[in-house]
Amino acid sequence: MNNTISSENRLHALDAVRGFALLLGVAFHAALSFMPGWPPGIWAMNDNSPSQFLSDAAFVTHIFRMSLFFFVAGYFGRLLYQRLGASAFWANRGKRIAIPLVAGWVVLFPLISLIWTIGITKVFGGTMPPMPEMPKVPGAFPLTHLWFLYQLLLIYVAAIAVRSIIARLDRNERLRGLVDKAVTASLQAPIAVFTLGLPVAAALMSLPFWFYWQGIPTPDQSIIPQIPASVGFGTAFAFGWLVHRSRDALSVIGRRWFVHLVLAMIATGWLLHTMHASPMAQPGVTKTLFAMIFGVAVWGWVLGLTGAALRFLSNYSATRRYIADASYWIYLMHLPVVAAFQVWVGHWPLHWAVKYPFILIASFAILFVSYHYLVRPTFIGQLLNGRKYPRKPLSPGATPAPASPPPEDANNGGPVAQMRGITKKFGAVTALNSIDVEVRRGELLAVLGPNGAGKSTAISLWLGLIEADAGEVTLLGGAPQDIAKRRGLGVMMQDVELPKELKVRELVRLAASYYDDPMSVEETLRRAGIEPLANRAYGKLSGGQKRQAQFAVAICGRPQVLFLDEPTVGLDVQAREALWTSVRRLLADGCSVVLTTHYLEEAEALADRIIVITKGRVIASGSVDDMRALVARRQISCDSQIPLDDVRAWPGVVDAQRTQERLQITATDAEGVVRRLLAADAALGRLEVRQAGLNEAFNELTREAA
Amino acid sequence: MNALALKSIALETSRGNALGAYFTETRFELTRMVRNPGVAIPVLAMPIALYALFALVIFGEAIDKDANVGVFMFWAFSLMAVTMPALFATGVTLALERDMGLLRLKRAQPAPPAAWVVAKIVSGLTLAVLAYTPIVIVAFAAGKLSLDAGQVATLSGALLVGTIPFCALGLMIGSLVSGPAASSYALLVYLPGCYLSGMFFPLPRSMDWQASIWPQFHVKEFAMHLAGIAPHREPLLVAIAVMLGCTVMFAGVTIWRLKQKG
């Protein structure tokens, strides 16, 4: 189960990377009307406010964006091939790649031509200059920005062919096993960033005319495969494929993100510096070096950005999912939209720092709205992303329909929260030592233990506030750090003060805004039994009332699991009963509750199960009755001279101590022991019998555990 | 009306989307500020009081002779007006809230992590506007400002953008020190910058080298560039880069620190 979660998480991260690479393409093209020194006619518009900064930024993004895309495509390519088999793979790729290529070209080419004609006419002051004809070479064809789909199809064909040859030659998978090891080791070293750049560097060095700025020349003019692009993007695809093959490669990439990004930045800095000195490659050492370092930059960015996504974006996020889904459509359609805005604003007397953001924002607005209404709920969305979403109004920030199931479905029947083999140290102190705990659906688990036992540490782990040194913590079937999972929890902590200026009603409303489907404020206050306090400022409440307000804040989001850390400290009897009643009602509604407490009667009143933690270990766990038996011991004390060893030997005596005159006995059968005491010592005085407190019970349990 | 209000509240909260959380967080942050004005009054009153003292009383005649002195006074105290609340309103309240355990609670709740940051920055900006507006009014009313309306509008916009690195600096201080110590540390960082960046008086040449250490210097350059007020001491892009760099660095330390300690 753990593997499923982590591999799904990886897919979220890679989806995010692919979406990023595509959206970056929009930003790249939007910058191209601002390039200083470009001759008129090379792009749809030459803006009157050129920008060296945008030129450099565009160069930097262009180093890696397509390689990044092909790398992720390689990873998903193998995943799909493994999952679907050959024929379904080709059917799928036909629908997702070939149809958009053909249909997209038919729709987009006339639009792009139109915008270019208008733009270039404007650039040349109203007269259209004679356009250069398509080069008269075999295979010449204006693929436009859709070339990447064509290239991808070619690479698929090559990849499947190579795969079948290798499968035939390497029947016992020895070769492939070696390759897997080499892939992981080269990432670990990290030398992959250097070796992977070599093929593309060789292809670039061999170019007779190479403008450094263009990086890998875009193969958009011909249907004959171009060598640099095929080598560069083919390597990226192949490595993505191999990373999917190799079990550990992806996690190494996730760990090495920082090193890779640093290498990328250093390499990029050098490239920029060199390019400023001379933009056109001259044969010689500099060209060779430029090509080699260009390769390092490509792979530094590809591996660094992928790693950073794996590290930071691996959880499910509805917004990211939406953007990732939208990115394919947006990239397909963006060129005429972006170019139209570039042409429109090209002669405005404004600085590029105003015009460029305007083009981007306006284009994205149009493209996202078109995606939301024309694509997401229609057959186009079905075609591009394999899924049609129900139509929903586009309200600002509305969370789109999640592609992955909501938490309650993800984890039906299983424990709602779990710890396996958890160890957590703070410096030299071991707060939790290899503990296993689970919270089942609809139960109340009481966690008992003396101060400093590790209860709050356990709760903090489940709340995602700290991370364990070893072991696995899950909340609602996922990592507690995942905010989507935490939307299923409610929490009342110790030692927390809420803002004193706000009224109770406002505190509840604020907390409710964090949840997808909270209760109304009135309902929450009623359930917490504090309607009369609704309009009182938090700072004016008594200690007990503050706890009640915190309880209301904890339950307002209809939690599936509620964490209550010492909730009734400072409450009077009536308020405590009211709180217990609301907790019972939540339990009846199917909510699970984790309660830490010092009061045994609180655990008895509410709990289905109890665990006792001391010194970071679970020393006892069981039903309330089991625990009651454990602590059904009583303390007997009296002034008496009976020898200790005699008393210790009596049935029903767990322990006996003497402090000065006073004899202290812990007994399971207090009545029997008292009878015997009175019979044995006629001079016995100041007899006292009392229930052993939890602390005493814990102390004994701890002694026994040690 | 009550029923209607309740219904709209229910609707508002039932949506529970991320934007709703940002909005609600910001709204209540502002509510808190209004209900507890003690924190805000000093940072609101000081800049206008100092401007009135220097521009109207002490240097009143000098300004009438040389309009540049008026411009200098105006942007110096405007800069103070916008940056001070940004620093103090965010930093001190963050430090106090950390002491209250409130941040720990917010991290445990599914509060969008950036919602409270946005709320703090918006309240910092609001205070900045409140502190800055009286200076503009007084400057124009007293005829001590020789800039046209367009320039003042651009300058105002630029100054507001310039508060962002100071918000980030405030958050960093708030994340590093305890509540009671926060305002002292904020002053310790802020005041030397005001003097040594050449904001209040032209620096002697021998001290020029260190002016660019202080964020105030770059915000000033940024605003002057955009408003077209000469002379410039560094290119616009450098000023933008430094402001951006400071914001990223301060915010980075804040995030790192809050992750470590909460």
Side-chain angles (χ1 to χ4, degrees):
Chain A
M1 176 183 142
N2 185 20
N3 282 339
T4 349
I5 291 170
S6 52
S7 65
E8 262 176 25
N9 285 347
R10 288 163 172 198
L11 298 190
H12 293 319
L14 292 178
D15 260 340
V17 169
R18 181 170 49 185
F20 171 70
L22 289 174
L23 297 185
L24 203 56
V26 180
F28 171 76
H29 287 136
L32 293 189
S33 62
F34 300 96
M35 299 294 106
W38 276 23
I42 215 170
W43 191 253
M45 176 42 73
N46 288 63
D47 202 280
N48 59 10
S49 172
S51 161
Q52 186 59 42
F53 171 78
L54 283 183
S55 168
D56 288 348
F59 167 72
V60 174
T61 56
H62 200 49
I63 292 177
F64 64 84
R65 65 180 184 96
M66 290 319 296
S67 299
L68 186 59
F69 172 84
F70 278 99
F71 170 73
V72 178
Y75 185 94
F76 281 120
R78 180 167 186 276
L79 179 101
L80 207 63
Y81 192 82
Q82 297 291 104
R83 205 180 266 175
L84 300 179
S87 56
F89 173 85
W90 286 115
N92 176 292
R93 295 294 85 184
K95 266 193 290 190
R96 299 279 174 77
I97 309 292
I99 294 181
L101 170 63
V102 176
W105 194 89
V106 171
V107 175
L108 288 169
F109 185 70
L111 277 176
I112 292 172
S113 306
L114 175 70
I115 307 271
W116 249 251
T117 311
I118 297 172
I120 291 177
T121 312
K122 193 169 168 182
V123 169
F124 283 92
T127 47
M128 180 75 185
M131 289 310 282
E133 296 199 359
M134 285 300 290
K136 291 223 167 20
V137 288
F141 186 84
L143 281 166
T144 72
H145 67 298
L146 301 178
W147 66 266
F148 77 107
L149 296 176
Y150 179 69
Q151 184 82 45
L152 187 58
L153 287 174
L154 294 181
I155 292 180
Y156 281 138
V157 173
I160 304 301
V162 171
R163 190 199 160 276
S164 63
I165 295 170
I166 291 186
R168 256 159 239 242
L169 295 178
D170 179 35
R171 284 187 195 281
N172 52 10
E173 298 214 17
R174 193 177 299 159
L175 174 66
R176 278 173 282 179
L178 282 177
V179 170
D180 290 348
K181 278 192 195 133
V183 165
T184 312
S186 69
L187 286 167
Q188 185 82 42
I191 53 165
V193 74
F194 299 100
T195 51
L196 288 168
L198 290 177
V200 71
L204 290 173
M205 272 186 263
S206 67
L207 285 174
F209 301 103
W210 183 32
F211 277 104
Y212 287 144
W213 187 91
Q214 68 183 151
I216 301 173
T218 308
D220 58 353
Q221 302 287 333
S222 170
I223 53 168
I224 312 277
Q226 303 295 301
I227 291 173
S230 301
V231 172
F233 303 138
T235 315
F237 184 95
F239 195 67
W241 184 285
L242 292 178
V243 164
H244 183 260
R245 262 200 66 81
S246 157
R247 203 164 46 89
D248 303 321
L250 211 54
S251 46
V252 178
I253 293 177
R255 283 201 299 276
R256 285 265 177 274
W257 67 275
F258 189 70
V259 179
H260 285 141
L261 280 187
V262 169
L263 284 171
M265 285 178 200
I266 294 171
T268 304
W270 186 88
L271 294 176
L272 280 170
H273 178 75
T274 312
M275 188 175 69
H276 286 168
S278 156
M280 174 77 187
Q282 310 292 336
V285 181
T286 317
K287 183 178 179 186
T288 310
L289 204 57
F290 198 96
M292 307 283 258
I293 293 186
F294 187 84
V296 174
V298 170
W299 282 98
W301 287 116
V302 168
L303 297 173
L305 291 171
T306 309
L310 288 164
R311 174 75 180 73
F312 299 106
L313 305 179
S314 63
N315 53 1
Y316 169 77
S317 142
T319 313
R320 277 206 299 277
R321 173 79 254 167
Y322 183 94
I323 295 173
D325 282 344
S327 63
Y328 189 19
W329 163 261
I330 288 180
Y331 190 72
L332 290 179
M333 299 307 291
H334 80 281
L335 201 55
V337 179
V338 165
F341 278 113
Q342 288 174 324
V343 171
W344 188 31
V345 307
H347 290 171
W348 288 3
L350 286 174
H351 199 252
W352 63 265
V354 178
K355 287 198 260 185
Y356 178 70
F358 170 75
I359 293 172
L360 262 194
I361 293 169
S363 306
F364 274 130
I366 289 181
L367 292 163
F368 268 105
V369 168
S370 69
Y371 168 73
H372 194 82
Y373 289 107
L374 300 180
V375 179
R376 196 170 171 81
T378 67
F379 73 96
I380 309 179
Q382 174 87 46
L383 182 79
L384 294 181
N385 299 321
R387 185 181 165 148
K388 199 156 92 177
Y389 290 85
R391 207 175 276 272
K392 257 178 139 189
L394 181 66
S395 63
T399 28
S404 78
E408 56 268 25
D409 299 336
N411 188 43
N412 234 339
V416 290
Q418 201 171 21
M419 287 192 196
R420 278 190 295 200
I422 288 298
T423 297
K424 176 71 192 172
K425 291 181 182 168
F426 295 104
V429 181
T430 305
L432 291 175
N433 191 352
S434 184
I435 71 163
D436 299 287
V437 187
E438 67 172 39
V439 185
R440 298 165 199 155
R441 190 167 293 275
E443 78 166 354
L444 188 142
L445 175 74
V447 182
L448 305 185
N451 288 330
K455 294 175 306 211
S456 292
T457 305
I459 300 264
S460 295
L461 282 163
W462 266 322
L463 297 176
L465 293 175
I466 51 176
E467 284 182 33
D469 298 325
E472 189 196 15
V473 184
T474 55
L475 174 76
L476 298 166
Q481 282 78 14
D482 182 354
I483 193 166
K485 299 295 174 199
R486 285 212 310 282
R487 286 204 187 95
L489 70 73
V491 55
M492 180 172 171
M493 296 165 111
Q494 285 190 74
D495 307 323
V496 168
E497 278 290 312
L498 300 179
K500 64 179 179 351
E501 301 86 359
L502 294 184
K503 296 172 182 169
V504 173
R505 170 194 299 285
E506 293 165 338
L507 291 170
V508 172
R509 192 175 304 156
L510 175 60
S513 73
Y514 304 149
Y515 293 93
D516 289 332
D517 180 28
M519 289 190 274
S520 71
V521 175
E522 301 306 320
E523 169 74 4
T524 308
L525 295 174
R526 200 171 53 72
R527 282 210 182 194
I530 50 167
E531 288 155 301
L533 303 180
N535 292 316
R536 297 265 301 275
Y538 183 81
K540 301 255 165 72
L541 301 180
S542 73
Q545 289 169 331
K546 284 182 175 169
R547 292 301 275 167
Q548 288 176 297
Q550 292 174 15
F551 180 72
V553 164
I555 63 171
C556 70
R558 301 182 202 276
Q560 297 175 58
V561 51
L562 179 64
F563 293 91
L564 301 174
D565 202 359
E566 311 266 356
T568 54
V569 172
L571 292 192
D572 60 28
V573 178
Q574 213 181 353
R576 192 170 66 169
E577 289 288 347
L579 191 140
W580 287 1
T581 309
S582 350
V583 171
R584 284 197 194 97
R585 182 152 170 212
L586 287 165
L587 288 167
D589 291 347
C591 175
S592 312
V593 181
V594 178
L595 169 88
T596 70
T597 180
H598 271 97
Y599 304 127
L600 185 63
E601 61 270 36
E602 185 156 278
E604 282 182 309
L606 297 169
D608 300 295
R609 271 189 324 126
I610 296 179
I611 62 168
V612 181
I613 300 186
T614 300
K615 294 184 180 159
R617 286 180 178 280
V618 176
I619 54 166
S621 73
S623 67
V624 174
D625 287 338
D626 297 340
M627 291 298 121
R628 199 178 283 140
L630 265 178
V631 291
R633 301 167 176 186
R634 271 172 287 180
Q635 290 286 327
I636 304 165
S637 55
C638 57
D639 295 341
S640 169
Q641 296 302 323
I642 310 174
L644 266 185
D645 289 342
D646 292 5
V647 179
R648 285 188 179 136
W650 291 355
V653 172
V654 179
D655 191 24
Q657 306 284 334
R658 192 190 302 280
T659 42
Q660 295 165 341
E661 288 299 293
R662 211 82 185 129
L663 180 65
Q664 305 271 7
I665 305 168
T666 308
T668 50
D669 173 19
E671 290 78 7
V673 174
V674 168
R675 254 182 240 118
R676 203 154 172 178
L677 273 173
L678 292 172
D681 183 1
L684 179 141
R686 294 208 295 148
L687 175 69
E688 253 181 69
V689 181
R690 59 189 180 87
Q691 179 84 44
L694 262 183
N695 273 334
E696 282 142 311
F698 295 145
N699 290 343
E700 275 164 41
L701 283 169
T702 322
R703 264 205 301 275
E704 287 161 23
Chain B
M1 175 237 150
N2 243 347
L4 250 180
L6 276 180
K7 204 171 171 192
S8 76
I9 289 160
L11 268 177
E12 175 198 314
T13 51
S14 74
R15 209 175 292 142
N17 58 47
L19 205 77
Y22 280 74
F23 175 77
T24 315
E25 192 89 53
T26 306
R27 178 178 146 196
F28 285 128
E29 187 68 30
L30 292 172
T31 309
R32 290 176 64 190
M33 205 169 75
V34 171
R35 290 188 191 156
N36 191 5
V39 186
I41 284 173
V43 293
L44 293 184
M46 201 148 82
I48 176 64
L50 288 178
Y51 177 73
L53 178 68
F54 282 97
L56 304 187
V57 183
I58 300 179
F59 293 110
E61 281 184 26
I63 293 176
D64 295 338
K65 280 188 202 136
D66 181 357
N68 285 334
V69 179
V71 174
F72 181 87
M73 289 280 151
F74 175 73
W75 67 248
F77 289 101
S78 300
L79 188 57
M80 180 185 188
V82 295
T83 51
M84 233 170 101
L87 183 69
F88 286 84
T90 54
V92 178
T93 55
L94 170 63
L96 288 170
E97 284 171 15
R98 273 177 56 236
D99 289 356
M100 284 155 63
L102 189 60
L103 277 191
R104 222 157 52 87
L105 177 69
K106 280 201 195 297
R107 281 173 61 212
Q109 286 174 330
W116 66 263
V117 179
V118 170
K120 292 258 176 283
I121 290 178
V122 171
S123 62
L125 285 176
T126 309
L127 277 182
V129 172
L130 290 179
Y132 169 68
T133 314
I135 296 187
V136 180
I137 295 172
V138 169
F140 271 121
K144 299 291 180 194
L145 189 57
S146 59
L147 299 177
D148 61 47
Q151 279 179 307
V152 172
T154 319
L155 190 71
S156 310
L159 285 175
L160 279 187
V161 172
T163 57
I164 292 173
F166 285 87
C167 287
L169 177 63
L171 291 177
M172 184 178 83
I173 293 171
S175 71
L176 290 172
V177 302
S178 73
S183 43
S184 319
Y185 277 98
L187 265 183
L188 197 65
V189 177
Y190 182 71
L191 278 184
C194 289
Y195 300 124
L196 296 175
S197 66
M199 178 172 136
F200 284 150
F201 43 82
L203 288 173
R205 271 195 170 281
S206 60
M207 289 184 73
D208 264 358
W209 61 272
Q210 55 80 56
S212 61
I213 295 173
W214 308 98
Q216 282 96 331
F217 174 81
H218 303 281
V219 174
K220 181 197 90 181
E221 287 295 315
F222 172 70
M224 306 281 262
H225 265 291
L226 292 193
I229 306 172
H232 309 305
R233 309 251 322 261
E234 69 181 4
L236 175 61
L237 273 181
V238 174
I240 294 176
V242 175
M243 282 163 59
L244 199 68
C246 284
T247 307
V248 170
M249 186 175 75
F250 298 146
V253 173
T254 310
I255 291 166
W256 167 79
R257 169 73 178 185
L258 293 179
K259 265 198 166 167
Q260 303 290 312
K261 285 263 177 181

